[in-house]
Amino acid sequence: MQVSQRFRAGRMLAAAGAMLLAGNAAAYDWQALPDKAPSPDHNPTTEAKVELGKKLFFDQRYSATGTVSCNTCHNIMEGGDDGRPTSMGVHGRTGPRNAPTVWNSAFNSTQFWDGRAKNLEEQAKGPVQADVEMGVEQLQTALERVTSIPAYRDMFKQAFPRDDDPISVDNGARAVAAFERTLITPNSPYDRYVKGDKDALSEQQVRGMKTFNQVGCTSCHSGPVFNGPQMNMAEGQGFYQKFPTFTDNQYVDKYDLMADQGRARATGKDADQHMYKVPTLRNVALTAPYFHNGKVKTLPEAVRVMGKVQLNKDLSDKQVADIVAFLKGLTGEFPQMTLPRLPSKPGETIVEAGDTKAGGGAH
Amino acid sequence: MQVSQRFRAGRMLAAAGAMLLAGNAAAYDWQALPDKAPSPDHNPTTEAKVELGKKLFFDQRYSATGTVSCNTCHNIMEGGDDGRPTSMGVHGRTGPRNAPTVWNSAFNSTQFWDGRAKNLEEQAKGPVQADVEMGVEQLQTALERVTSIPAYRDMFKQAFPRDDDPISVDNGARAVAAFERTLITPNSPYDRYVKGDKDALSEQQVRGMKTFNQVGCTSCHSGPVFNGPQMNMAEGQGFYQKFPTFTDNQYVDKYDLMADQGRARATGKDADQHMYKVPTLRNVALTAPYFHNGKVKTLPEAVRVMGKVQLNKDLSDKQVADIVAFLKGLTGEFPQMTLPRLPSKPGETIVEAGDTKAGGGAH
């Protein structure tokens, strides 16, 4: 938007150019992001669930050390990730993969890089237990810590009023998923452009949009979320691609692209070797570093690598710059939220601090 | 001085109310918490500073690992602490002392347990560098990471418009301090009670209030913040007490109360052995576990220990229960805040992830 303002002097020319360019690009079905994500029949979104889920999302106290929450690695104050190559959980441990953004994750038809969770409800339980994330051995332990706080118990009851046993791990995951379905970033410059505001993207961005389509990026990064066809939101029906597809190039070694088996790690199937869920490109300018292993530091390099390893094309510097400009136009509007208040157990802590490595320090 | 001027009228009224309501306890000058904290002449609070300081307070990206923010250990979504005995910073390292609450810290005339920082500005710089907290070797490094983001640079300029060099470590600390001065929790049941609302405290709580005074707690935990006389808010003029004062009891060994030298660690003076800043009791029900080393898990036990090691009194179960009930009445109203949006450097991360311990995990 700022860019287009800068070009206001030549607006007529730009608009004319956009029309010509969009002429070609119009052959492709560019789609805007919905303002809301649908909720599945098995977990209709309600205000009470969202409110509970938001608190659980931000509550670090039920991790093994009391220091890691969902938001630690999926920081919704920023790009919905953590800016690290791979995330760091309890005890300073790191996992093997880059934290995907939680923004617009409601529009993924599977979750995790390898698609091993069929929905957000299933996904939400993973990191609580992972020894390199929140590190709680049993989900039930995390639940018990949380629901030792009376106000949390009340919230579970309010969020799941028809359940005989509202206080459960599954309901905690349902609440977090319901909250995550509210994390939508509509009205990016791109969205405004495809809705008719031809000044929303700069001339370079429109050129990048066309290049993005022409070189073949849209063959995978399609649809309103740039993560492939929406599959009618059928749960678990993921859209996967092999990465890298072309291996005879400098990048495969340089960025260690073959080390991870991808979806095969989850399924054990040879056919799934190096297959990954196609990730969204929404807000991609905010989620560096890039790829499943976070080895590529900048967006221009990520575009260059993708051109080569997926399309076997040596993109020119100009093509890369144009595509990057376009991708920056996919940064949406982030909803304003209140900071949650986390309830407490008066006079006691729910944190189980466990053994720690002592050192000298402040306070 | 500003505080005493601003609230003199209210204090007289409060005292009158307390006299009527609390009988014997009225002999003591019970004071309500001010709604606002004064700002020092060297750092007047402005909206632009508060906004910048809030973002810096929540931004984990400039820590050594990109995972620890001020809010990690001083969680203002809850009691302004972390619920741990001692805090855990980068690489899972822990320090020797319990994280004091940041709520109402504006009313401390010194900062840290040993009072070694004379104000919030000075305090704010400590944890960024501490190897067991945010672990950045040089404050300048943290500043450079932050201000590699154009939007942050603009915010520094807006917050410090008269400075020739607005982008500085000291201004970052000033902004964080300005934000922290907004973290006030007025209108606790206790405050409403001393302002005249007889129903704000239960019968047991009023009894506990009286006991709290009679057994001698108020000799140190006095004033509107229960952290001693306000010293006219003279910076650096702390109010210290020896802890433990009485050592011939079971608790000293049980809770390892002599291991820490207290203020002597900061000053090197023998006279400061085991001296500590008297901490606030505001929201004390939310800040378990207790004491400088966080070794005491519950509020009733903390009250019992304080009675013995500071006053040489064996409080009865009833006295303890009454005082605890009263202390729960010091939980105030927490201001509703918006979740900050942290600015980004498009297409790059400001996190320097460094070396990490790899492990298996999710994503």
Side-chain angles (χ1 to χ4, degrees):
Chain A
M1 183 167 64
Q2 286 170 308
V3 175
S4 69
Q5 280 165 352
R6 223 172 280 158
F7 282 77
R8 189 167 289 160
R11 191 202 286 182
M12 293 304 291
L13 190 62
M19 216 172 291
L20 283 173
L21 295 165
N24 279 346
Y28 180 74
D29 180 22
W30 299 103
Q31 296 170 48
L33 191 71
D35 290 339
K36 289 192 176 172
S39 57
D41 291 343
H42 59 74
N43 189 21
T45 301
T46 65
E47 208 176 308
K49 281 185 205 171
V50 170
E51 193 53 35
L52 170 59
K54 183 180 175 186
K55 289 184 201 290
L56 293 173
F57 189 88
F58 277 99
D59 204 329
Q60 60 189 24
R61 293 172 298 173
Y62 62 88
S63 66
T65 55
T67 58
V68 178
S69 71
C70 305
N71 194 71
T72 302
C73 303
H74 300 285
N75 190 350
I76 60 175
M77 295 180 237
E78 205 238 348
D81 69 332
D82 56 9
R84 292 181 48 88
T86 64
S87 292
M88 179 175 276
V90 295
H91 302 298
R93 293 181 193 134
T94 55
R97 290 183 183 154
N98 182 262
T101 181
V102 69
W103 287 107
N104 307 303
S105 60
F107 297 113
N108 296 332
S109 66
T110 60
Q111 304 294 341
F112 293 119
W113 277 99
D114 53 25
R116 68 185 182 278
K118 71 174 185 291
N119 55 30
L120 290 169
E121 285 77 3
E122 203 174 292
Q123 188 280 332
K125 291 184 268 187
V128 180
Q129 285 189 291
D131 67 343
V132 294
E133 301 190 35
M134 297 175 76
V136 184
E137 281 181 31
Q138 299 293 329
L139 286 166
Q140 188 63 25
T141 308
L143 180 77
E144 283 165 13
R145 275 184 208 158
V146 164
T147 57
S148 71
I149 296 173
Y152 260 131
R153 298 175 67 84
D154 292 344
M155 276 183 273
F156 270 85
K157 289 172 194 163
Q158 281 159 24
F160 302 96
R162 287 179 214 168
D163 284 27
D164 290 336
D165 187 11
I167 296 168
S168 68
V169 164
D170 284 339
N171 280 345
R174 285 185 186 106
V176 170
F179 170 61
E180 290 173 335
R181 289 196 177 94
T182 69
L183 300 176
I184 312 295
T185 63
N187 301 321
S188 69
Y190 160 82
D191 292 298
R192 299 200 306 274
Y193 181 86
V194 299
K195 285 177 179 172
D197 175 3
K198 296 306 174 194
D199 293 333
L201 292 180
S202 72
E203 200 174 330
Q204 185 187 26
Q205 287 178 310
V206 174
R207 206 164 59 224
M209 183 175 168
K210 187 178 163 189
T211 305
F212 181 85
N213 185 38
Q214 283 178 338
V215 300
C217 306
T218 47
S219 57
C220 293
H221 292 289
S222 61
V225 197
F226 292 85
N227 64 348
Q230 285 294 291
M231 311 278 193
N232 297 323
M233 295 302 291
E235 285 189 344
Q237 192 183 345
F239 180 61
Y240 302 93
Q241 277 297 332
K242 192 164 191 172
F243 177 88
T245 295
F246 296 93
T247 55
D248 185 19
N249 57 67
Q250 57 172 320
Y251 297 123
V252 172
D253 273 359
K254 186 173 182 184
Y255 298 119
D256 202 18
L257 301 182
M258 296 292 280
D260 190 323
Q261 295 188 303
R263 185 161 166 74
R265 214 180 66 183
T267 65
K269 292 183 189 165
D270 251 14
D272 289 331
Q273 284 285 346
H274 309 297
M275 297 293 280
Y276 295 91
K277 181 190 72 180
V278 174
T280 180
L281 298 181
R282 293 275 172 188
N283 307 306
V284 69
L286 309 186
T287 62
Y290 298 103
F291 302 146
H292 64 273
N293 59 10
K295 296 252 188 199
V296 174
K297 289 190 177 178
T298 70
L299 190 52
E301 181 71 352
V303 169
R304 208 172 284 118
V305 173
M306 286 300 283
K308 192 64 189 172
V309 308
Q310 296 306 92
L311 302 165
N312 205 23
K313 284 179 179 152
D314 294 292
L315 298 179
S316 70
D317 288 350
K318 183 168 180 295
Q319 284 177 311
V320 170
D322 289 352
I323 290 174
V324 167
F326 167 62
L327 292 175
K328 287 181 180 173
L330 298 182
T331 301
E333 282 178 8
F334 293 83
Q336 195 174 77
M337 279 183 228
T338 55
L339 192 73
R341 276 297 312 155
L342 305 180
S344 306
K345 191 175 176 184
E348 288 180 57
T349 179
I350 65 164
V351 173
E352 289 292 332
D355 291 333
T356 53
K357 293 171 289 178
H363 292 149
Chain B
M1 185 147 69
Q2 285 168 296
V3 169
S4 62
Q5 280 168 350
R6 201 174 301 167
F7 293 92
R8 189 169 295 146
R11 192 196 289 182
M12 287 174 64
L13 194 64
M19 205 175 297
L20 286 171
L21 297 165
N24 281 347
Y28 181 74
D29 180 23
W30 299 103
Q31 296 170 47
L33 190 70
D35 290 338
K36 288 192 176 171
S39 57
D41 291 343
H42 59 74
N43 189 23
T45 300
T46 65
E47 208 176 307
K49 281 185 206 171
V50 170
E51 194 52 38
L52 170 59
K54 183 181 176 186
K55 289 183 201 293
L56 293 174
F57 189 89
F58 277 99
D59 202 329
Q60 60 190 24
R61 294 171 298 172
Y62 62 88
S63 66
T65 55
T67 58
V68 177
S69 71
C70 305
N71 194 71
T72 302
C73 303
H74 301 285
N75 190 350
I76 61 175
M77 295 180 238
E78 204 238 349
D81 69 332
D82 55 9
R84 291 182 48 88
T86 64
S87 293
M88 178 175 276
V90 296
H91 302 299
R93 292 183 193 134
T94 55
R97 290 183 183 154
N98 182 262
T101 181
V102 69
W103 287 108
N104 307 302
S105 61
F107 297 113
N108 296 332
S109 66
T110 59
Q111 304 294 341
F112 294 118
W113 278 98
D114 52 24
R116 69 186 184 277
K118 71 173 184 293
N119 54 31
L120 290 168
E121 285 77 3
E122 204 174 291
Q123 188 280 331
K125 291 184 267 187
V128 181
Q129 284 188 292
D131 67 343
V132 294
E133 301 191 35
M134 297 174 76
V136 184
E137 282 182 29
Q138 300 294 327
L139 287 166
Q140 188 62 27
T141 307
L143 180 77
E144 282 164 13
R145 274 182 210 157
V146 164
T147 56
S148 71
I149 297 173
Y152 259 131
R153 282 207 297 276
D154 292 344
M155 275 183 270
F156 270 84
K157 288 172 195 164
Q158 281 159 23
F160 301 96
R162 288 179 212 168
D163 284 26
D164 290 337
D165 187 12
I167 297 167
S168 69
V169 165
D170 284 338
N171 280 345
R174 285 186 185 106
V176 170
F179 169 61
E180 290 173 335
R181 289 197 177 93
T182 69
L183 300 176
I184 312 295
T185 63
N187 301 322
S188 69
Y190 160 82
D191 293 298
R192 298 200 306 273
Y193 181 84
V194 298
K195 286 177 180 174
D197 176 2
K198 296 179 190 183
D199 295 331
L201 292 180
S202 71
E203 203 175 323
Q204 185 186 28
Q205 287 179 308
V206 173
R207 206 164 59 224
M209 182 175 169
K210 191 175 160 187
T211 306
F212 181 85
N213 184 37
Q214 283 178 339
V215 300
C217 306
T218 47
S219 57
C220 293
H221 292 289
S222 61
V225 196
F226 293 84
N227 64 349
Q230 285 293 292
M231 310 279 191
N232 298 324
M233 296 301 289
E235 285 189 344
Q237 191 183 345
F239 180 62
Y240 302 95
Q241 278 296 333
K242 191 164 190 170
F243 178 88
T245 295
F246 297 93
T247 55
D248 185 20
N249 57 66
Q250 58 172 319
Y251 297 124
V252 172
D253 273 359
K254 185 172 183 185
Y255 297 120
D256 203 16
L257 300 182
M258 296 293 280
D260 191 322
Q261 295 188 301
R263 184 160 166 75
R265 212 179 69 184
T267 65
K269 292 181 188 166
D270 250 16
D272 290 331
Q273 283 287 347
H274 309 297
M275 295 294 281
Y276 295 90
K277 181 189 70 179
V278 174
T280 181
L281 298 181
R282 292 273 171 190
N283 307 307
V284 69
L286 309 186
T287 62
Y290 298 103
F291 302 146
H292 63 274
N293 59 12
K295 295 253 188 199
V296 174
K297 289 191 177 177
T298 70
L299 191 52
E301 181 70 351
V303 169
R304 209 171 284 116
V305 173
M306 286 300 282
K308 193 63 189 173
V309 309
Q310 297 306 92
L311 301 164
N312 204 24
K313 284 179 180 153
D314 294 294
L315 298 179
S316 70
D317 288 350
K318 181 167 182 295
Q319 284 177 310
V320 169
D322 289 353
I323 291 174
V324 166
F326 166 62
L327 292 175
K328 288 180 180 173
L330 298 182
T331 300
E333 281 177 11
F334 293 82
Q336 195 173 78
M337 280 182 229
T338 54
L339 192 72
R341 275 299 310 156
L342 305 181
S344 306
K345 190 174 177 183
E348 290 179 55
T349 179
I350 65 163
V351 173
E352 289 291 334
D355 291 335
T356 53
K357 293 172 289 179
H363 291 150

